[in-house]
Amino acid sequence: MATLERDPALAAADPEIARLIHEEIIRERDTIRLIPSENYASRAVLEACGSVLSNKYSEGYPRKRYYEGQEVIDQVEELARQRVQALFGAEHVNVQPYSGSPANLAVYLAFCKPGDTIMGLGLPSGGHLTHGHAVSISGMFFKSVPYGVRREDQRIDMDEVRALAREHRPRLLWAGTTAYPRQLDWAAFRSIADEVGAILAADIAHISGLVVGGAHPSPVPFADVVSSTTHKTFRGPRGGMILCKKEHASAIDRAVFPGLQGGPHNQATAGIAVAAREASTDAFKQYAHQVVSNAKVLADALSARGFRLVTGGTDNHLILFDVTDKGTTGKLAAQAMARAGLVGNYNSIPFDPRKPFDPSGVRIGTPAITSRGMGHAEMHRIAAWIDEVVAAPGDEARGARIAAEIAELCKGFPAPGILL
Ligand code: DSN
């Protein structure tokens, strides 16, 4: 059995893991990946991540390490840093965070003390756990003051953000989202942060690829610090990065190491360098714009089929829809969709009357299907399939028929990174 499609070593050494990876390759190949935070890394990125760079310890930073033998690793990390810096026009970059949550923890460590007040978009409104949610360390160690979205249009209420900031004078103000289909007003966040003397931290984990590709405004000129994962719209390896103003460079670097982490994952650093090189191309700019264009077409098609979309639509890569009027729940809908080969996730919607474990909404997005080259015609087909599944989540025959149709469609749109 060709397992990693290129190297029989794993199949010989560990047939069970080899078989499971093979099964995942087939799953990723034959289904429509709609989770908006997922994507397909290129073969080149995967190859960098599967390299011997994984064997090396390199605590510290280029030319200031605590282990010898860094003549190659220093160059890898410098390339990653320089490429990301150039892509975003950032003053300073750290590519060592293991992922988005550790990157955000490093931001706290750089700027806050336990007990400080922080503000972020509440999780039920589309914010991230690490922006102060009660069950996260960010809600346990800091005094969290969440802001929300307006009931009428489910958009972030900048008047509320300003009023809460004036009242609570946060040390740190997050501008970033994980389930929000609209653009953020970076200038308005900057003006609020300035008014109350807060550090402005932008978390662009979901949209960093859109920012690089010019399909979403950049927070870099506005924010003191910008955090991101590297595996979502950026299309890199699982990892994290922090961009900041020069004046904060040493605070951020010290927070990541030695404050929070030990040795960086050099294989991921190399993957980030490769992804940054890929993201510097015109093809990537086109990709980023196509992600947004596909999302708008998919949103309009769902809306035309009677789905209530949170905020009424999208202007990024993400769509959140409410299935209450369709007579089902987010969990039942997402599970039925997954059985039919449409893999999204159930998600709370703003002011959701249901509990987070079985909420009213489903979250989908277009980054991965756009990486496969799908366009407007496929968005219409996907909307039709979603509509069919959600109309009868328990209809297994219908789900199986759609899964077969989707596997057939996928044959015409090879997923980057997958050779089988
Ligand atoms: N887990 C990511 C997402 O799915 O949006 C955020 O960290």
Side-chain angles (χ1 to χ4, degrees), residues 312-344:
T314 182
D315 44 33
N316 59 22
H317 63 301
L318 181 150
I319 299 161
L320 188 56
F321 58 87
D322 180 0
V323 291
T324 311
D325 294 344
K326 297 282 181 184
T328 186
T329 70
K331 190 172 192 172
L332 287 176
Q335 289 175 341
M337 282 170 57
R339 284 193 298 275
L342 297 153
V343 187

Side-chain angles (χ1 to χ4, degrees), residues 19-337:
R19 178 180 54 77
L20 291 170
I21 293 176
H22 181 80
E23 284 177 15
E24 177 64 8
I25 290 170
I26 301 303
R27 191 193 69 79
E28 295 197 15
R29 187 192 65 179
D30 293 349
T31 59
I32 289 188
R33 168 169 268 177
L34 290 171
I35 293 172
S37 47
E38 292 184 0
N39 214 327
Y40 297 96
S42 70
R43 198 73 202 169
V45 167
L46 294 179
E47 198 173 322
C49 292
S51 69
V52 295
L53 300 183
S54 172
N55 296 336
K56 186 74 191 108
Y57 254 119
S58 49
E59 287 175 0
Y61 290 100
R63 295 174 305 285
K64 281 175 277 171
R65 305 279 190 186
Y66 291 83
Y67 294 78
E68 296 310 312
Q70 308 295 346
E71 52 273 29
V72 174
I73 299 298
D74 276 5
Q75 295 179 65
V76 169
E77 187 167 338
E78 277 301 4
L79 270 178
R81 276 167 54 156
Q82 285 163 11
R83 287 178 185 171
V84 171
Q85 197 166 343
L87 272 184
F88 287 92
E91 291 180 15
H92 179 74
V93 171
N94 187 307
V95 289
Q96 293 195 6
Y98 298 144
S99 199
S101 297
N104 288 351
L105 209 44
V107 170
Y108 287 117
L109 188 56
F111 297 111
C112 300
K113 300 249 175 309
D116 278 355
T117 299
I118 57 129
M119 278 180 58
L121 181 63
L123 191 79
S125 299
H128 194 253
L129 272 173
T130 57
H131 298 178
H133 195 59
V135 299
S136 139
I137 188 170
S138 62
M140 296 173 193
F141 282 25
F142 304 104
K143 181 172 171 256
S144 171
V145 177
Y147 54 86
V149 293
R150 282 187 295 262
R151 199 174 267 278
E152 316 85 83
D153 61 1
Q154 304 96 52
R155 293 184 186 236
I156 293 173
D157 183 346
M158 295 309 294
D159 292 337
E160 186 202 15
V161 180
R162 191 177 295 274
L164 285 171
R166 280 179 179 157
E167 183 184 346
H168 296 280
R169 319 283 309 177
R171 167 74 183 139
L172 188 129
L173 173 61
W174 283 108
T177 67
T178 198
Y180 186 70
R182 298 294 176 179
Q183 294 186 351
L184 297 187
D185 185 346
W186 305 122
F189 275 106
R190 177 74 263 167
S191 111
I192 294 168
D194 283 344
E195 189 180 331
V196 302
I199 293 287
L200 177 61
D203 180 342
I204 59 166
H206 267 254
I207 56 168
S208 49
L210 304 186
V211 168
V212 167
H216 190 292
S218 172
V220 170
F222 299 97
D224 297 288
V225 58
V226 177
S227 68
S228 184
T229 49
T230 51
H231 48 269
K232 299 186 173 96
T233 48
F234 193 68
R235 293 173 69 172
R238 297 202 85 81
M241 56 190 174
I242 303 176
L243 287 49
C244 65
K245 303 282 183 214
K246 227 185 192 84
E247 65 188 286
H248 303 308
S250 84
I252 286 293
D253 284 353
R254 274 189 279 112
V256 175
F257 173 84
L260 205 57
Q261 298 184 174
H265 292 177
N266 297 310
Q267 76 283 7
T269 306
I272 292 170
V274 175
R277 188 183 165 113
E278 291 173 346
S280 68
T281 59
D282 285 343
F284 192 89
K285 284 191 187 69
Q286 282 164 21
Y287 162 74
H289 287 281
Q290 189 67 41
V291 166
V292 175
S293 169
N294 279 349
K296 283 184 194 298
V297 170
L298 181 53
D300 287 349
L302 287 169
S303 190
R305 289 172 179 278
F307 283 86
R308 187 184 82 77
L309 310 184
V310 170
T311 78
T314 182
D315 44 33
N316 59 22
H317 63 301
L318 181 150
I319 299 161
L320 188 56
F321 58 87
D322 180 0
V323 291
T324 311
D325 294 344
K326 297 282 181 184
T328 186
T329 70
K331 190 172 192 172
L332 287 176
Q335 289 175 341
M337 282 170 57

